[in-house]
Amino acid sequence: MKSFVLGLVAAVGLAGAVAADPLEGIWQTEVDDGAYALVTVSPCGPAFCGVISRTFNADGEYQSENIGRQIVIDMVPEGDGHYEGSVWRPSNDKIYIGKMDIEGNTVRLRGCVAGGLICASQTWTKVQ
């Protein structure tokens, strides 16, 4: 019986490790200042971080100086598909209070100032 219980605990632990958070993956941003990016979101400690992995403009894919830069910073899950942390906006090189709400294959990302009272938003689409 003891080995059965230990086996069951191990199996449940492995099943939990395999289940990925819906925020993990590759997301396509909206066009901002004539370009858009693919952002790879993955765990970073107890939160999630997103790094620009590819960039595109009207001519197609290009090698932006922002590739490899972190755009989603320490997004902590708050429950019900809501995350809070920080976001970096490449076009003005500023970091904002960040909020993300995921629904299916889209996530609404907001960068806010004034304690979250004034926000600009984008809707990203999951591509992988």
Side-chain angles (χ1 to χ4, degrees), residues 111-120:
C112 306
V113 296
L117 296 176
I118 302 169
C119 301

Side-chain angles (χ1 to χ4, degrees), residues 63-76:
Q63 293 299 308
S64 167
E65 67 276 2
N66 295 325
I67 292 175
R69 297 269 322 253
Q70 191 174 40
I71 190 169
V72 175
I73 305 162
D74 296 328
M75 281 290 172
V76 177

Side-chain angles (χ1 to χ4, degrees), residues 28-64:
Q28 180 177 317
T29 70
E30 284 185 23
V31 174
D32 188 10
D33 288 337
Y36 70 93
L38 296 184
V39 176
T40 302
V41 176
S42 58
C44 56
F48 291 89
C49 296
V51 174
I52 297 172
S53 49
R54 297 172 71 186
T55 52
F56 302 84
N57 60 21
D59 297 325
E61 187 168 5
Y62 74 102
Q63 293 299 308
S64 167

Side-chain angles (χ1 to χ4, degrees), residues 32-33 71 87-96 120 122:
D32 188 10
D33 288 337
I71 190 169
V87 294
W88 172 64
R89 185 173 184 202
S91 63
N92 66 5
D93 195 29
K94 294 194 184 276
I95 294 176
Y96 297 94
Q122 281 198 353

Side-chain angles (χ1 to χ4, degrees), residues 74-115:
D74 296 328
M75 281 290 172
V76 177
E78 300 290 327
D80 294 327
H82 181 72
Y83 301 79
E84 293 187 5
S86 300
V87 294
W88 172 64
R89 185 173 184 202
S91 63
N92 66 5
D93 195 29
K94 294 194 184 276
I95 294 176
Y96 297 94
I97 296 168
K99 298 175 185 233
M100 297 177 87
D101 292 295
I102 191 167
E103 187 173 318
N105 286 334
T106 62
V107 66
R108 181 171 174 241
L109 180 136
R110 295 180 310 285
C112 306
V113 296

Side-chain angles (χ1 to χ4, degrees), residues 9-21 24:
V9 168
V12 169
L14 288 175
V18 173
D21 188 281
E24 286 185 67

